[in-house]
């Protein structure tokens, strides 16, 4: 087994100290590829979470009172530390999450980029001076930190989802309590170790870990605390909705990045090879475990058969195995729950008339490995058209014309990402306008970058992360009416 980073500590990071749970209980963290234990982390409860909130609150006055330039220096140092230790962080991520090392390396750089980007955006949190409604008054508008904020993150991007929340939150002067996913707490703790190393002040960033049963307890302790003014969540739509309902109690702000059901449309005028490459990345990256994965691939009738044949050939070349092994491009699924969901969706599709071109079963490597799979004849009668697959299964349907493709793509309560390939400039504008999603990829299957706003419409969420917009969600406006200024005599 590869070595874990020397700087990794397997306790929670609260108020600048490494602490165990009050109950002393711990949770095992395993390599999903082998089931081997990598170590254990504390199972925090309500009072542990309250202690982390208190630590964040104690740090807030100093942190928010600093200049944005001071905070930028700290965040830039944190980004540099991530880059200096990128290989350690990437190996750790592969070990606890399963993704191929090449993908983990890309994610670590993506994660560090949020600190670099928001260090600078924090310096540009401009306010306004509004033309006044009174001669003797001036109207000023400032953007202020919220105070203590909570972050709840998923396991599919164990580092980037942490920094995509922590970086804008901290740059704007907030202090954060983060609860990483139960499957991947080590990447978050490694990021906390680096915070400690570069001198992020105690209490500014706290990490509270726990198991699946602890998540609602930790979440509730955050939401019920009057000190926590926002929850930033990435995860399932069901949990996101529950958190939003709970946040109504004392009107805690929420931003939610939830499930998707991305359509990937290939028009007959597309660059065939480019579309093939785009769909392969978009579908099979991270073994299909991304909320922006191509969940429904829609191919125009005239090119359907040749496209399926070419994609099947590509899928058969995917090397499945442990993410640390050279040449592997698909790791295991995160756990048995994920594996069984994929199996159920494939079984339902087959029962309702879909055809398998390759794969369609667990992989010979055992564990939670699943074969790269191509299914055709997928229709809206099948569950796979409506639920996130979160596995390496390309579900392909066909369409006659542009209007039908748009109608099929929008036939979902979700609206995170949508993709299409076309070389017709009129069609590019028409379809980009018509897709009811927060993100549209045209002639690309890769849209994630720190400089652009990431987020969904409809049941895919509320708010945006990344870009100049992503920091606004971590602030609130204050209007100052400066009156009694008199008039020039
Ligand atoms: P997934 O099914 O992909 O694991 P979840 O929405 O269940 O997605 O999990 C995303 C994150 O939300 C994880 O950190 C998980 O621990 C946390 N979580 C799950 N349920 C709750 C809850 N009721 N309250 C707060 N956090 C939760």
């Amino acid at each position: 087994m590869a070595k874990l980073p020397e700087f990794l500590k397997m306790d929670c990071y609260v108020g600048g100290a490494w602490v165990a749970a009050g109950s002393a209980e711990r949770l095992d963290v395993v390599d999903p590829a082998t089931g081997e234990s990598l170590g254990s982390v504390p199972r925090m409860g309500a009072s542990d979470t309250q202690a982390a909130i208190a630590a964040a609150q104690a740090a807030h006055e100093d942190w928010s009172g600093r200049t944005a330039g001071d905070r930028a220096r700290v965040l830039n140092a944190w980004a540099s530390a991530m880059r200096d230790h990128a290989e350690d962080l990437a190996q750790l991520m592969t070990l606890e999450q399963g993704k191929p090392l090449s993908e983990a390396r890309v994610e670590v750089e993506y994660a560090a980029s949020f600190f670099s980007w928001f260090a600078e955006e924090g310096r540009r949190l401009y306010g306004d001076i509004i033309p006044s409604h009174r001669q003797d008054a001036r109207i000023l508008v400032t953007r202020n930190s919220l105070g203590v904020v909570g972050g709840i993150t998923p396991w599919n991007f164990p580092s980037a989802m942490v920094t995509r929340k922590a970086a804008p939150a901290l740059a704007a002067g907030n202090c954060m309590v983060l609860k990483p996913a139960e499957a991947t707490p080590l990447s978050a703790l490694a990021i906390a170790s680096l915070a400690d190393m570069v001198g992020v002040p105690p209490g500014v960033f706290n990490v509270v870990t726990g198991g699946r049963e602890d998540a609602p307890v930790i979440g509730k302790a955050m939401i019920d605390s009057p000190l926590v003014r926002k929850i930033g969540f990435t995860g399932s739509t069901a949990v996101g909705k529950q958190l939003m309902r709970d946040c109504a109690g004392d009107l805690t702000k929420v931003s939610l990045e939830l499930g998707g059901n991305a359509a990937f449309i290939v028009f007959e005028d597309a660059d065939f090879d480019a579309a093939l490459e785009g769909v392969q990345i978009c579908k099979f990256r991270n073994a299909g475990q991304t909320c922006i994965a191509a969940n429904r691939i829609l191919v125009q009738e005239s090119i359907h058969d040749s496209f399926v044949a070419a994609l099947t050939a590509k899928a058969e070349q995917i090397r499945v195995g442990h993410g640390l092994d050279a040449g592997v491009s698909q790791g295991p699924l995160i756990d048995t729950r994920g594996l069984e969901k994929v199996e159920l969706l494939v079984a339902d599709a087959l029962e309702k008339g879909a055809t398998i071109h390759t794969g369609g079963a667990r992989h010979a490597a055992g564990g939670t490995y699943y074969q790269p799979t191509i299914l055709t004849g997928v229709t809206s009668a099948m569950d796979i058209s409506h639920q996130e697959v979160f596995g390496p299964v390309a579900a392909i349907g066909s369409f006659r014309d542009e209007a039908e493709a748009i109608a099929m793509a929008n036939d979902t309560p979700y609206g995170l990402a949508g993709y299409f390939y076309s070389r017709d400039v009129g069609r590019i504008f028409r379809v980009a306008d018509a897709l009811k999603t927060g993100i549209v990829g045209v002639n690309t299957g890769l849209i994630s970058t720190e400089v652009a706003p990431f987020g969904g419409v409809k049941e895919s969420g509320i708010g945006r992360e990344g870009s100049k917009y992503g920091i606004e969600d971590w602030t609130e406006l204050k209007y100052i009416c400066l009156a009694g200024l008199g008039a020039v005599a």
Side-chain angles (χ1 to χ4, degrees):
M1 194 179 78
K3 250 178 49 229
L4 300 175
E6 269 166 28
F7 58 85
L8 172 66
K9 302 219 172 33
M10 292 204 202
D11 274 328
C12 287
Y13 188 61
V14 175
W18 295 97
V19 299
S23 67
E25 283 188 51
R26 301 189 70 85
L27 168 82
D28 225 24
V29 183
V30 299
D31 176 348
T34 60
E36 246 178 77
S37 173
L38 300 171
S40 70
V41 296
R43 285 189 59 189
M44 297 302 234
S47 56
D48 301 306
T49 308
Q50 282 151 6
I53 294 167
Q57 174 71 7
H60 180 246
E61 195 178 324
D62 169 68
W63 182 246
S64 61
R66 294 187 183 204
T67 64
D70 268 357
R71 289 195 295 266
R73 273 186 283 283
V74 173
L75 297 178
N76 276 322
W78 204 352
S80 299
M82 285 190 72
R83 293 187 170 111
D84 290 346
H85 296 92
E87 195 56 24
D88 278 340
L89 292 172
Q91 292 204 9
L92 176 65
M93 189 189 301
T94 292
L95 281 174
E96 72 170 345
Q97 200 272 347
K99 68 177 64 183
L101 186 58
S102 54
E103 289 186 27
R105 288 179 178 137
V106 171
E107 184 184 335
V108 170
E109 172 49 37
Y110 179 46
S113 77
F114 286 110
F115 284 132
S116 307
W117 173 264
F118 282 111
E120 298 310 315
E121 284 306 296
R123 292 154 56 105
R124 299 191 187 101
L125 270 180
Y126 301 127
D128 277 317
I129 299 175
I130 294 178
S132 181
H133 62 311
R134 276 166 50 175
Q135 262 188 333
D136 73 330
R138 300 290 182 275
I139 294 176
L140 316 182
V141 181
T142 58
R143 278 199 178 274
N144 301 309
S145 67
L146 301 167
V148 179
V149 295
I152 301 179
T153 52
W155 48 263
N156 58 345
F157 290 93
S159 291
M161 294 306 97
V162 169
T163 60
R164 198 162 78 179
K165 289 177 174 45
L170 271 51
N174 302 287
C175 295
M176 175 170 270
V177 177
L178 173 88
K179 194 209 84 64
E182 48 277 7
T184 58
L186 301 183
S187 292
L189 292 175
I191 290 172
S193 294
L194 296 177
D196 199 51
M197 202 186 278
V198 301
V200 175
V204 168
F205 180 67
N206 308 275
V207 182
V208 173
T209 58
R212 190 139 196 100
E213 319 79 77
D214 308 317
V217 177
I218 295 170
K220 194 155 183 331
M222 288 189 194
I223 291 168
D224 286 352
S225 167
L227 298 177
V228 175
R229 295 315 311 148
K230 168 170 173 167
I231 300 288
F233 172 77
T234 298
S236 61
T237 296
V239 172
K241 286 180 179 176
Q242 184 58 50
L243 293 177
M244 189 167 174
R245 275 192 287 269
D246 294 346
C247 283
D250 61 356
L251 294 183
T252 304
K253 262 164 103 85
V254 284
S255 61
L256 305 170
E257 201 266 277
L258 309 177
N261 184 7
F264 191 110
I265 307 170
V266 186
F267 289 103
E268 60 193 3
D269 62 66
D271 177 332
F272 188 93
D273 292 338
L276 198 60
E277 200 183 314
V279 80
Q280 193 188 3
I281 294 169
C282 191
K283 176 70 255 180
F284 292 104
R285 183 169 68 112
N286 204 2
Q289 302 171 113
T290 78
C291 49
I292 51 170
N295 212 53
R296 297 167 295 151
I297 300 166
L298 308 175
V299 185
Q300 198 153 10
E301 278 172 357
S302 55
I303 57 165
H304 175 271
D305 292 354
S306 50
F307 196 80
V308 169
L311 189 59
T312 302
K314 287 232 176 221
E316 285 172 347
Q317 283 162 18
I318 293 174
R319 212 172 125 214
V320 178
H322 196 293
L324 291 181
D325 291 346
V328 162
S329 49
Q330 184 187 305
L333 296 184
I334 191 71
D335 56 22
T336 319
R337 197 165 60 109
L339 177 71
E340 287 170 354
K341 180 179 180 196
V342 173
E343 287 185 313
L344 279 177
L345 290 175
V346 170
D348 173 78
L350 293 178
E351 203 179 295
K352 293 175 181 158
T355 305
I356 288 182
H357 292 254
T358 188
R362 293 184 184 209
H363 193 271
T368 57
Y369 288 106
Y370 195 84
Q371 294 174 340
T373 297
I374 306 286
L375 282 183
T376 57
V378 171
T379 69
S380 65
M382 301 170 186
D383 292 344
I384 203 163
S385 294
H386 305 287
Q387 295 180 29
E388 271 187 318
V389 183
F390 253 58
V393 179
I396 305 177
S398 66
F399 66 89
R400 275 185 310 280
D401 55 23
E402 189 178 302
E404 190 183 28
I406 291 168
M408 289 168 86
N410 287 337
D411 180 22
T412 170
Y414 296 104
L416 186 53
Y419 307 86
F420 66 96
Y421 274 69
S422 170
R423 281 182 294 193
D424 177 324
V425 71
R427 170 171 280 162
I428 287 176
F429 278 94
R430 285 193 303 274
V431 179
D433 280 351
L435 289 179
K436 292 190 170 58
T437 56
I439 305 166
V440 178
V442 186
N443 296 329
T444 180
L446 267 181
I447 43 75
S448 299
T449 161
E450 78 280 13
V451 309
F454 190 105
V457 299
K458 294 159 69 181
E459 293 190 24
S460 286
I462 294 174
R464 294 294 179 269
E465 292 185 323
S467 81
K468 66 174 182 176
Y469 305 103
I471 197 164
E472 292 176 0
D473 274 2
W474 298 94
T475 66
E476 56 199 354
L477 292 178
K478 178 177 277 180
Y479 149 44
I480 302 169
C481 184
L482 204 61
L485 303 180
V488 178

